[in-house]
Amino acid sequence: MPHRHTTFSKFIIEDQRRRGGADTDLTALLNDVQTACKFIASAAARGSLAPSAGQPAVPAPEPGVNVHGETQKPLDLIANEIMLRTCEYGGKLCGMASEEMEEPYRIPREYPRGRYLLAFDPLDGSSNVDVNLTVGTIFSILKAPDGVDEPEVEHFLQPGTQQVAAGFALYGPADMIIATFGEGVHGFTLDREIGAYTLTHPDMRIPDHVCEFAINSSNARFWEPPVRMYVEECIKGSSGPRETDFNMRWIASLVAEVYRILIRGGVFLYPRDARPTHKPGRLRLLYEANPIAMLVEQAGGAASTGRQRILDIKPMALHQRVPVILGSKAEVERLVAYHAAYDRGEELTFHAPLFGSRSLFLASETAALG
Ligand SMILES: O=P(O)(O)OC[C@H]1O[C@](O)(COP(=O)(O)O)[C@@H](O)[C@@H]1O
Ligand SMILES: [Mg+2]
Ligand SMILES: [Mg+2]
């Protein structure tokens, strides 16, 4: 077992040796990613204060509206610039894809190119920046197909099972990195005194016991019946079919929700819904759902769209959205079973004080979702 307080860099090298294959390119790339996260952590921690003397001035473009139609926050773009500038010159990458950039970013010709692709969400939970809540950065590392050093969109469209490493940084009361390098999930806390992420949570496992669910209930009227039924049962608690009480959480920061689930179990849902914008879901496959799904599965949980294992999805577009249901395995399997029963046209039966007196749902309900 690695020694606690082992640094992130040392852990990666030891982990590779233990698993019989040093990959200095991957180690170097992961070190660039952790350096970028330190810079973003420092920028996030300064909040509305001007950049400190020691912090590199990051000339970020003016915030606008990104490819998703979302208004960008200044920190979205500062974080994006930090990721690009910190990871582009190390010689391990041939391209990057970001939530904040419509097209892939190719490594400038003056830098050597490598065999990896990096997809990232520079700042996750952006709506929480102005209210000083936990945000993060999500990253996914893939191999570029052999011979490719001018990556096109299609080269990033690999199923999540092809990821060689994935993780997220948390910028909160403590700054952390939660990562998997293909075997297990490990948590590192930034020791601000020495400026290093050190191992504090080796081999994280998602507890099976569940008493919390996370979903944005303000969207309830748009949900499909399987999701409605699941949430209704949780809300009914010990007086309902689940015979146990549940608590609800919604932080509106995927990274913070997933970290909570890694620590104390539970389930997170951002399902597809009837709104034209959310029919395919809200979260993005390449740099949100896939890296998180790899972490969750490596920690003994499950991640599904409700109908398909997320890591098996063949991506069709760089910024593709997918429904996301993840967390403690048994809960995800329960939701998958509800979706399957529903898609077979079976009636989903529950008593619905919240949704009015109707207690039976028929497959025709799906019609509204098209
Ligand atoms: O605002 P909503 O609908 O509650 O959605 C919150 C979700 O959107 C996100 O903020 C999307 O991520 P970004 O902030 O990177 O765009 C997730 O972190 C979070 O789970
Ligand atoms: Mg995000
Ligand atoms: Mg983001």
Side-chain angles (χ1 to χ4, degrees):
M1 171 59 76
H3 181 263
R4 286 177 76 76
H5 304 311
T6 297
T7 64
F8 183 79
S9 320
K10 186 163 180 277
F11 181 91
I12 299 168
I13 294 167
E14 287 176 350
D15 180 65
Q16 288 175 355
R17 279 199 197 122
R18 193 173 51 75
R19 293 164 52 210
D23 181 338
T24 50
D25 284 2
L26 182 60
T27 306
L29 174 55
L30 285 161
N31 277 326
D32 289 345
V33 170
Q34 73 149 334
T35 304
C37 292
K38 284 180 196 169
F39 280 130
I40 300 171
S42 158
R46 292 197 60 77
S48 310
L49 296 167
S52 68
Q55 187 178 347
V58 181
E62 274 307 302
V65 174
N66 65 18
V67 64
H68 317 280
E70 295 157 351
T71 305
Q72 296 166 315
K73 305 273 182 191
L75 196 58
D76 278 319
L77 292 164
I78 289 169
N80 192 58
E81 280 301 301
I82 290 174
M83 286 296 280
L84 296 178
R85 300 287 88 75
T86 312
C87 299
E88 68 181 347
Y89 67 88
K92 311 308 173 197
L93 282 175
C94 64
M96 294 184 248
S98 163
E99 177 197 358
E100 301 304 338
M101 300 169 72
E102 185 155 4
E103 299 301 328
Y105 177 80
R106 290 202 184 126
I107 304 302
R109 273 281 155 214
E110 66 261 35
Y111 299 129
R113 292 179 174 193
R115 56 198 171 93
Y116 286 109
L117 298 170
L118 175 66
F120 60 88
D121 174 355
L123 198 74
D124 181 64
S126 309
S127 66
N128 283 328
V129 170
D130 303 340
V131 291
N132 200 16
L133 286 174
T134 296
V135 292
T137 296
I138 310 175
F139 62 89
S140 165
I141 298 176
L142 297 160
K143 280 201 177 119
D146 291 341
V148 169
D149 77 344
E150 292 273 354
E152 305 288 345
V153 167
E154 80 229 36
H155 300 123
F156 288 86
L157 304 185
Q158 303 178 34
T161 47
Q162 299 307 304
Q163 294 173 100
V164 291
F168 62 84
L170 275 177
Y171 312 123
D175 294 317
M176 299 186 73
I177 287 185
I178 313 299
T180 181
F181 313 111
E183 197 181 288
V185 171
H186 312 284
F188 305 81
T189 303
L190 181 60
D191 183 333
R192 295 185 178 130
E193 280 167 29
I194 61 171
Y197 286 103
T198 61
L199 183 67
T200 47
H201 297 71
D203 273 323
M204 301 180 85
R205 299 294 296 174
I206 296 180
D208 292 330
H209 172 66
V210 171
C211 58
E212 281 172 337
F213 69 98
I215 192 166
N216 183 341
S217 289
S218 66
N219 302 327
R221 65 192 182 284
F222 303 117
W223 294 338
E224 286 188 294
V227 171
R228 287 192 207 170
M229 179 158 112
Y230 177 84
V231 172
E232 174 59 22
E233 289 182 346
C234 292
I235 291 172
K236 278 189 87 57
S238 51
S239 59
R242 301 297 306 269
E243 297 175 348
T244 181
D245 288 333
F246 286 78
N247 205 347
M248 200 204 99
R249 287 282 180 271
W250 188 249
I251 307 172
S253 247
L254 174 64
V255 286
E257 316 270 11
V258 173
Y259 184 68
R260 183 192 61 246
I261 288 172
L262 284 165
I263 296 291
R264 61 187 198 215
V267 65
F268 167 92
L269 302 92
Y270 213 121
R272 56 179 277 182
D273 70 38
R275 287 170 294 176
T277 50
H278 288 54
K279 277 193 176 152
R282 163 107 165 74
L283 301 173
R284 284 55 59 123
L285 179 59
L286 252 66
Y287 41 78
E288 290 175 319
N290 267 342
I292 298 290
M294 185 180 182
L295 285 165
V296 165
E297 286 201 7
Q298 284 292 325
S304 171
T305 64
R307 293 178 170 90
Q308 186 182 9
R309 178 186 178 222
I310 285 177
L311 293 179
D312 289 338
I313 299 172
K314 170 73 182 85
M316 305 307 286
L318 205 59
H319 302 287
Q320 174 180 347
R321 298 175 189 264
V322 289
V324 173
I325 295 174
L326 58 82
S328 300
K329 210 170 186 161
E331 289 307 297
V332 176
E333 286 168 353
R334 175 184 285 268
L335 276 147
V336 169
Y338 288 3
H339 282 80
Y342 184 72
D343 292 345
R344 284 195 300 272
E346 288 171 26
E347 295 184 16
L348 298 179
T349 309
F350 68 96
H351 305 291
L354 253 190
F355 303 112
S357 57
R358 188 178 47 199
S359 66
L360 291 176
F361 278 98
L362 301 174
S364 58
E365 282 273 339
T366 307
L369 279 161

